[in-house]
Amino acid sequence: MDIGIEKIGFYTPKQYIDIVELAQARNQDPDKFTIGIGQDKQAVPAVYEDAVTMAAEASNQILDSDNKSDIGLVIVGTESSVDESKAAALYLTELLNLPENVRAFEIKEACYGATAGLQMAKNFVAAHPDKKALVVASDIARYGINTPGEVTQGAGSVAMLISSEPKVLKLTDQTVYMSRNVGDFWRPTFSKTAFARGKFSNQIYIEFFETLWARYQKEFGATADDFKAMLYHIPYTKMGAKAMRTLDGKISAEKYAQLQTEYQASIKFGREVGNLYTGSLYLGLISYLLNSDVKPDDNLLLFSYGSGAVGELYSAEVVDGFKDNINVQAIKSVIDDREKISISDYEKIFSDSIEDGQSVDPETVTGKFYLKEIKENERLYSAK
Ligand code: HMG
């Protein structure tokens, strides 16, 4: 039985900052940010947006009354939890009018959460071929004003419908993974911003990729020539390129050059948005599918990395007609129809929050789903 992604949707907030303006405000050479880090724009979530509202926006792009009734599992992968106890997936079931006969929960393991969800969804569909699973990656990447990580912030959500009718991507059974307790990046429960040992985190990311690639080749007798493209978790677009550099000299120069070309197609959207944390690999997948010359039956290798750390390297096959099953127009307009804001406005938004007893004027909301109010310390959401 084939299992994989039947539909995939994407949402990012309606406002962004220009990375050159950020560099100027931080007295940095803009080339460091645009070339050294590899970003152009950074998404800025509104005060009423969070992991729940963004997940609802991305999911809404791929759900309809037919497929909703087939869903038996709802997983939200996030490290931007809105509650220490209640799962973001539960708010989602209500906002999206999903049936009650579903298992709905949240997974946390930094940027690996959605991949954990995807593999769990694959097993779920294998056991229940007539059911579908909704897996949503949703995060706000935050390091703080004037920190080295600030240029790698971002926000957004990717929603995937996993089923036995994969119309976009078939997941193979070829996967290798590893876990190790590492202090490269963490966010204690008291903090809204992450702590990172930046250069160390880059090193661990690369080490995990090299280890898993060696293991993948050995276990499945694979070579780079088996893959049309290698897609990476993209915290900033230079990062995947750094991991790919480890292949230079180990594979033919021709193949290496081709993989680099494919990589450029996979980072096009990431340059515009920034780090989505657990959604980044999957935004890279969307970007690749929509901006490359990839063909049905082409094989892709996907590298998922979540600090802390878990890595997984797995393969997938592109399905005939994949573009007809992605709402290209909706995704393009999510990226193109945004408003640039100044660095000082971004700094104001950064420190803004909705407190207990406060509510949001729906007139100020640009999307469909929003945090309506916090009442008795409970977050209450609404759809426009
Ligand atoms: P930094 O110290 O400000 O930057 O922090 P740098 O000095 O390392 O410079 C960055 C690059 O710009 C270098 O290139 C410079 O040479 C280049 P590289 O050596 O890396 O190829 N550069 C220039 N290029 C052109 N013109 C110039 C110029 N100047 C310098 N004028 C760092 C960079 C990424 C460490 C920082 O932003 C950070 O801490 N980010 C957050 C952590 C992070 O993203 N880590 C990635 C791996 S871990 C991961 O992916 C997981 C994660 O997503 C979290 C999760 O799992 O939940 C983060």
Side-chain angles (χ1 to χ4, degrees):
M1 177 180 32
D2 289 336
I3 302 177
I5 301 174
E6 181 181 327
K7 285 187 159 209
I8 188 162
F10 168 62
Y11 174 79
T12 192
K14 297 267 183 257
Q15 295 183 319
Y16 71 88
I17 51 169
D18 184 302
I19 286 298
V20 171
E21 290 177 16
L22 181 67
Q24 285 157 348
R26 302 295 176 248
N27 293 317
Q28 296 284 333
D29 180 349
D31 285 354
K32 174 177 174 183
F33 284 13
T34 56
I35 301 167
I37 295 290
Q39 292 303 129
D40 293 321
K41 294 175 186 166
Q42 183 176 110
V44 179
V47 68
Y48 52 77
E49 289 188 299
D50 60 23
V52 170
T53 64
M54 295 190 300
E57 298 282 1
S59 304
N60 196 44
Q61 210 181 76
I62 60 169
L63 297 184
D64 54 41
S65 50
D66 278 349
N67 59 28
K68 275 184 194 176
S69 58
D70 292 335
I71 292 177
L73 177 67
V74 181
I75 301 177
V76 176
T78 184
E79 56 180 300
S80 321
S81 249
V82 299
D83 195 286
E84 297 289 355
S85 173
K86 186 170 172 177
L90 290 165
Y91 298 106
L92 214 54
T93 56
E94 187 186 34
L95 286 172
L96 299 170
N97 293 316
L98 294 177
E100 284 194 354
N101 57 336
V102 296
R103 291 191 186 120
F105 54 89
E106 186 172 306
I107 290 183
K108 176 184 70 184
E109 185 353 69
C111 300
Y112 175 71
T115 300
L118 192 73
Q119 296 295 355
M120 199 175 275
K122 180 171 175 269
N123 293 339
F124 172 80
V125 173
H128 310 278
D130 55 330
K131 291 274 178 199
K132 301 180 196 288
L134 177 66
V135 177
V136 196
S138 193
D139 272 310
I140 296 174
R142 260 196 191 143
Y143 293 87
I145 306 288
N146 216 353
T147 60
E150 184 182 27
V151 62
T152 68
Q153 295 178 146
S157 177
V158 174
M160 296 174 276
L161 194 63
I162 310 303
S163 79
S164 55
E165 296 168 288
K167 293 176 180 156
V168 176
L169 203 69
K170 269 189 247 175
L171 299 171
T172 76
D173 291 330
Q174 300 197 339
T175 176
V176 288
Y177 37 83
M178 63 188 284
S179 301
R180 187 193 301 161
N181 184 17
V182 185
D184 65 330
F185 168 105
W186 63 100
R187 182 167 72 81
T189 45
F190 65 79
S191 177
K192 284 200 163 137
T193 50
F195 293 76
R197 295 192 175 103
K199 293 202 167 74
F200 179 56
S201 71
N202 292 350
Q203 261 175 41
I204 297 290
Y205 175 115
I206 292 169
E207 188 201 321
F208 270 45
F209 173 71
E210 282 190 289
T211 305
L212 290 172
W213 175 227
R215 204 183 288 165
Y216 190 98
Q217 289 174 92
K218 200 165 165 220
E219 222 162 283
F220 304 113
T223 71
D225 291 326
D226 295 332
F227 301 102
K228 166 83 173 172
M230 293 190 185
L231 307 180
Y232 297 81
H233 164 54
I234 310 167
Y236 55 97
T237 70
K238 182 78 165 291
M239 189 65 240
K242 280 167 175 281
M244 193 145 66
R245 252 184 239 151
T246 62
L247 303 177
D248 195 9
K250 296 189 185 129
I251 61 176
S252 72
E254 211 180 14
K255 186 68 195 175
Y256 184 65
Q258 187 239 322
L259 288 177
Q260 282 189 313
T261 304
E262 311 299 332
Y263 182 69
Q264 291 308 313
S266 78
I267 60 174
K268 204 163 178 279
F269 291 166
R271 287 193 72 99
E272 298 277 310
V273 177
N275 196 354
L276 301 192
Y277 283 159
T278 190
S280 289
L281 170 62
Y282 300 98
L283 178 59
L285 169 66
I286 296 174
S287 182
Y288 182 66
L289 292 173
L290 300 188
N291 296 304
S292 70
D293 68 351
V294 68
K295 304 269 183 316
D297 300 334
D298 279 342
N299 291 317
L300 309 179
L301 191 69
L302 293 96
F303 175 58
S304 179
Y305 177 80
S307 282
V310 182
E312 181 154 348
L313 191 66
Y314 67 95
S315 57
E317 194 183 309
V318 177
V319 178
D320 195 16
F322 68 93
K323 251 188 207 165
D324 302 334
N325 290 291
I326 302 176
N327 191 338
V328 181
Q329 208 37 55
I331 289 173
K332 285 222 155 104
S333 94
V334 157
I335 292 170
D336 294 343
D337 304 340
R338 292 183 296 165
E339 179 202 6
K340 186 177 87 164
I341 57 168
S342 67
I343 300 303
S344 59
D345 282 349
Y346 141 73
E347 287 170 352
K348 273 187 226 126
I349 292 171
F350 195 94
S351 55
D352 204 5
S353 61
I354 297 168
E355 301 299 329
D356 191 32
Q358 291 181 334
S359 59
V360 170
D361 175 2
E363 290 300 312
T364 63
V365 173
T366 51
K368 181 171 167 67
F369 302 98
Y370 65 106
L371 174 64
K372 191 176 70 171
E373 65 177 312
I374 302 183
K375 196 173 170 189
E376 295 168 30
N377 288 307
E378 187 183 10
R379 294 172 87 83
L380 301 173
Y381 293 91
S382 192
K384 278 193 11 165

